[in-house]
Amino acid sequence: MSTRYAKEFRDRAVRLLAESRGNYASETKALQGVAKDPGVAAESLRRWQAKADTAGTAGPEGSGELRRLRRENAQLRRANGIPSSASAFFASRPDPTRR
């Protein structure tokens, strides 16, 4: 049984995939994670993405360089969060030298 989705729905799902790629370690994980939200099959979303890439409607999100930069940006954000949470942890503890 095939289900037809409206063009706006497919475009929105492809746009969500493009925006979420940096949050996942691989393209496959991104497809699986994003496809769960609107309730479509990951393979359908992959085909919609491929069609959007060939049609040129995906815009600059289809670029490999942009994908690499988004992945690097996500890694740097995670790395920057570590010292921030560590400083908050140590700031909440009383100083043993002061009594």
Side-chain angles (χ1 to χ4, degrees), residues 11-55:
D11 292 344
R12 196 172 330 127
V14 169
R15 196 168 42 251
L16 180 63
L17 175 63
E19 293 169 356
S20 301
R21 277 189 178 128
N23 299 334
Y24 295 93
S26 69
E27 184 72 17
T28 304
K29 297 274 188 202
L31 281 166
Q32 292 169 347
V34 173
K36 286 180 187 176
D37 188 32
V40 298
E43 180 61 20
S44 296
L45 185 57
R46 186 196 62 79
R47 279 186 276 130
W48 297 344
Q49 178 62 42
K51 188 175 182 180
D53 286 345
T54 59

Side-chain angles (χ1 to χ4, degrees), residues 21 49 53 58-70:
R21 277 189 178 128
Q49 178 62 42
D53 286 345
E61 289 84 20
S63 142
E65 177 70 10
L66 184 58
R67 238 182 274 150
R68 183 188 68 75
L69 290 173
R70 286 179 192 245

